[in-house]
Amino acid sequence: MKIPELEKKYGKELIDKILKGHYLDGCTIAIVNGEDDIPESDIRLAIREINGDEICNWELD
């Protein structure tokens, strides 16, 4: 998803925290027409990490 779409769905504050933190380290993104396109599954995993939920190795890509 594009960053504006993520901000609309999850809130700007949370997306800023994810983007400025280490949560997407190693995440593979696509660049479409010069804009980052971040897989929503990686955003959901980042939110789970922020919430302290356990993430198994098989959930990471």
Side-chain angles (χ1 to χ4, degrees):
M1 294 179 81
K2 305 273 189 304
I3 292 173
E5 294 170 318
L6 292 168
E7 290 174 345
K8 184 176 181 181
K9 185 170 184 175
Y10 295 103
K12 182 169 177 30
E13 184 176 320
L14 178 58
I15 295 304
D16 283 346
K17 181 176 184 171
I18 291 170
L19 294 175
K20 291 177 182 174
H22 68 280
Y23 304 102
L24 298 178
D25 288 355
C27 172
T28 302
I29 64 168
I31 299 175
V32 179
N33 297 324
E35 292 184 79
D36 292 347
D37 192 349
I38 303 169
E40 188 174 11
S41 60
D42 290 328
I43 297 298
R44 287 192 303 265
L45 282 173
I47 292 168
R48 288 181 52 207
E49 185 177 348
I50 289 169
N51 290 333
D53 296 339
E54 185 175 335
I55 299 172
C56 299
N57 288 339
W58 59 268
E59 294 181 273
L60 304 173
D61 53 4

